[in-house]
Amino acid sequence: MIPELGLVCISASKTVRFKTITRKRLLQFDLVEQERLLRELYAENLRRLGIAIEFCADNKIGLYRLGSGMFPFADDPLGSAILEEFAEAMGLVGEQATQLKVRLVLHPDQFVVLSSDRPEVIENSIKILTMHARIFDLLGLPQSPWALMNIHGGKGDRADRLVETIRSLHDNIRLRLTLENDEYTYGSEQILAVCQAAGVPHLFDAHHHVIHEKVESYEDESVIRAFEAARSTWENPDWQVVHISNGAESFLDQKHNDYITVMPSCYRQAPWIEIEAKQKEFAIKKLQDEWLYSDLNVLPPVITETEKPKAEEIQIEAVTPSTQDEEPSDLMEQPVSV
């Protein structure tokens, strides 16, 4: 099996970028101007989504994770009504992704907590998920984990509430939902139990797992067990998605590194891998060149300009992502993290 690698939200180059506007900025204008700004923003971001899909196809990247803020305020009545105006155009972009064989997925923001003790938080979380599900519907994506919407478990020791809430969700949310293990609250075993009870797939993250379990290697037996257990929750194992990142300063560092230089060997059995590295497509290219078709799971590091290589090392220039926007506008570039 040759895994498909996935790009998260933006590119390190300026090719894949999106616009946003803050609520404070939007509310400075009257209703007519608010509508104009959101209409302009949605049209531009939809155009840029098409660019992102083409970028992935051109670079042999089989999966693309949409940014959660691509259509800001679409969970409010004003934004929701404007989004519907783009139904036909969104359908065409969805067809483009299908034709170019780029799988589209989503990771809603951290405000989605389905296990909260506060009913209003759960209500707002469902509101956000409803918006994302509508976006996927307009793109013509299937109501299945193929077009997954991935979230974390949220509030600790509330597994029963999490299961109950998931079971109550509308089909266009629930049938797309996956749950990911995290570093501190819901480890692989805990989130696996929730997934089995709720009937949703478990999206396994190896880096979160090693931090949670405090193990010093991706070859630890617990990584392999957790990966295989997660695989068993996917009704179609060929759709399984996993995440990978490396620690920035140390193996168990929560912050993401620029590149992936250590891969779990069990990930060679993963059909889809989202690459959570700061250098985005350059990190993916390194894996395509050095890992995907080799038997290596530990790769040579990339030497940056600030490091002095040893005499026998070859220096490779790292590309620093730019966040500047050359187009003056009331809309600003959207900061997206991995």
Side-chain angles (χ1 to χ4, degrees), residues 1-5 219 224 227 231 240 242 261-273 286-299:
M1 173 185 293
I2 305 298
E4 295 280 356
L5 306 183
E219 300 310 308
I224 300 170
F227 167 76
R231 188 170 179 79
Q240 182 188 16
V242 297
T261 56
V262 185
M263 287 287 282
S265 59
C266 62
Y267 270 23
R268 295 189 179 278
Q269 305 305 314
W272 302 86
I273 308 173
K286 180 176 175 65
L287 289 171
Q288 290 171 335
D289 291 346
E290 301 176 20
W291 178 77
L292 205 57
Y293 302 100
S294 76
D295 59 358
L296 299 176
N297 293 313
V298 179
L299 308 177

Side-chain angles (χ1 to χ4, degrees), residues 77-112:
L78 176 61
S80 178
I82 293 173
L83 186 68
E84 295 296 329
E85 297 175 13
F86 291 89
E88 182 177 356
M90 292 182 72
L92 292 175
V93 172
E95 289 179 13
Q96 176 190 21
T98 299
Q99 291 171 0
L100 293 178
K101 298 182 179 179
V102 176
R103 181 179 180 182
L104 300 180
V105 302
L106 179 75
H107 196 329
D109 62 36
Q110 71 272 17
F111 299 110
V112 174

Side-chain angles (χ1 to χ4, degrees), residues 28-221:
Q28 290 177 356
F29 302 98
D30 61 28
L31 183 59
V32 172
E33 183 65 6
Q34 288 179 29
E35 291 177 350
R36 186 193 70 78
L37 284 171
L38 288 182
R39 195 171 285 114
E40 176 187 334
L41 187 151
Y42 289 6
E44 178 62 13
N45 278 356
L46 188 58
R47 183 185 72 85
R48 293 184 181 208
L49 176 57
I51 292 172
I53 291 167
E54 290 182 0
F55 177 85
C56 288
D58 290 345
N59 288 277
K60 298 181 173 58
I61 297 171
L63 180 148
Y64 177 65
R65 184 202 291 181
L66 281 71
S68 62
M70 188 171 295
F71 301 102
F73 311 106
D75 56 339
D76 290 338
L78 176 61
S80 178
I82 293 173
L83 186 68
E84 295 296 329
E85 297 175 13
F86 291 89
E88 182 177 356
M90 292 182 72
L92 292 175
V93 172
E95 289 179 13
Q96 176 190 21
T98 299
Q99 291 171 0
L100 293 178
K101 298 182 179 179
V102 176
R103 181 179 180 182
L104 300 180
V105 302
L106 179 75
H107 196 329
D109 62 36
Q110 71 272 17
F111 299 110
V112 174
V113 182
L114 297 180
S115 56
S116 176
D117 291 330
R118 297 164 57 193
E120 66 272 20
V121 172
I122 294 179
E123 181 180 355
N124 188 60
S125 299
I126 294 174
K127 179 183 175 184
I128 294 171
L129 290 174
T130 299
M131 171 194 68
H132 289 314
R134 182 56 184 155
I135 291 169
F136 272 23
D137 288 344
L138 290 171
L139 289 168
L141 303 181
Q143 294 184 8
S144 74
W146 174 261
L148 66 84
M149 301 193 303
N150 181 58
I151 64 172
H152 291 282
K155 186 76 172 179
D157 299 322
R158 301 294 186 274
D160 290 343
R161 179 176 294 120
L162 180 56
V163 171
E164 179 182 356
T165 304
I166 291 172
R167 287 175 173 172
S168 71
L169 295 172
H170 190 280
D171 281 356
N172 71 338
I173 301 172
R174 182 179 56 81
L175 295 177
R176 290 174 171 136
L177 207 63
T178 62
L179 296 179
E180 179 182 351
N181 57 299
D182 62 65
E183 300 99 320
Y184 305 113
T185 307
Y186 285 89
S188 302
E189 289 187 9
Q190 291 81 17
I191 209 68
L192 174 68
V194 172
C195 288
Q196 290 171 333
V200 300
H202 168 24
L203 191 153
F204 177 63
D205 186 307
H207 193 58
H208 290 173
H209 175 84
V210 296
I211 295 173
H212 186 275
E213 301 299 322
K214 297 180 175 60
V215 298
E216 295 286 346
S217 171
Y218 286 137
E219 300 310 308
D220 189 89
E221 184 64 30

